[in-house]
Amino acid sequence: MIIKGRSIAKGTATGELIITDAPISFLSGVDPETGIVIEKGHPLEGISIAGKILAFPFGKGSTVGSYVIYSLKKNDCAPAAMINAEAEAIIAVGAIISRIPMIDQLEGGLSSLKSGMNVTVDGDRGELICKDWANS
Ligand SMILES: C/C(=C\C(=O)O)CCOP(=O)(O)O
């Protein structure tokens, strides 16, 4: 199953999907030294996004969030790839400067995605590939 979208940051990554319907503020919302979501009351609070394929609607909060994403990468605890419903500048810049593959504007949105799925983000082609779609 291939879902077409838009390329935001080049590169390809495969891994376990973690999805939330809540926007993410990387500054003060994610610990840059561990990759754990620390925003109080966030659906992902206490969960590590390190090495995961992270899907969320869009970023929120400070523009410094781009540099928090870069710090996550330098600390080896960044998401392996990111998927947004609609990318905005904070997350897009963070992904590009950190060389984290990223896509948005998937056909059908994010509603068919579920945490735990094994997916591939192809940031070169702007596509999401899910080989075990039928089992998800
Ligand atoms: C550059 C900024 C802060 C700093 O150097 O720590 C300003 C960031 O402004 P936001 O309104 O938070 O995007």
Side-chain angles (χ1 to χ4, degrees), residues 2-60:
I2 296 177
I3 303 174
K4 296 203 173 297
R6 177 174 69 162
S7 170
I8 299 293
K10 293 188 181 305
T12 300
T14 299
E16 181 186 342
L17 182 73
I18 184 168
I19 182 165
T20 176
D21 61 3
I24 294 177
S25 170
F26 277 84
L27 179 66
S28 78
V30 180
D31 182 345
E33 296 188 349
T34 64
I36 293 174
V37 176
I38 54 173
E39 180 183 332
K40 298 293 179 208
H42 194 281
L44 297 183
E45 183 183 357
I47 294 173
S48 174
I49 60 173
K52 300 288 171 48
I53 309 294
L54 177 64
F56 57 108
F58 43 80
K60 65 175 183 178

Side-chain angles (χ1 to χ4, degrees), residues 29-134:
V30 180
D31 182 345
E33 296 188 349
T34 64
I36 293 174
V37 176
I38 54 173
E39 180 183 332
K40 298 293 179 208
H42 194 281
L44 297 183
E45 183 183 357
I47 294 173
S48 174
I49 60 173
K52 300 288 171 48
I53 309 294
L54 177 64
F56 57 108
F58 43 80
K60 65 175 183 178
S62 174
T63 53
V64 179
S66 303
Y67 301 97
V68 174
I69 293 170
Y70 186 74
S71 296
L72 286 164
K73 182 72 173 195
K74 288 295 172 193
N75 292 332
D76 289 325
C77 51
M82 293 191 286
I83 305 165
N84 275 181
E86 187 71 41
E88 44 61 59
I90 301 168
I91 307 302
V93 168
I96 291 165
I97 65 175
S98 308
R99 300 182 188 277
I100 296 171
M102 179 174 172
I103 57 176
D104 78 341
Q105 295 184 355
L106 292 181
E107 288 177 354
L110 304 184
S111 58
S112 58
L113 305 181
K114 293 182 180 65
S115 291
M117 296 169 75
N118 186 268
V119 298
T120 297
V121 168
D122 186 333
D124 299 326
R125 299 172 64 92
E127 292 176 348
L128 181 68
I129 299 124
C130 181
K131 288 182 179 155
D132 59 354
W133 190 262

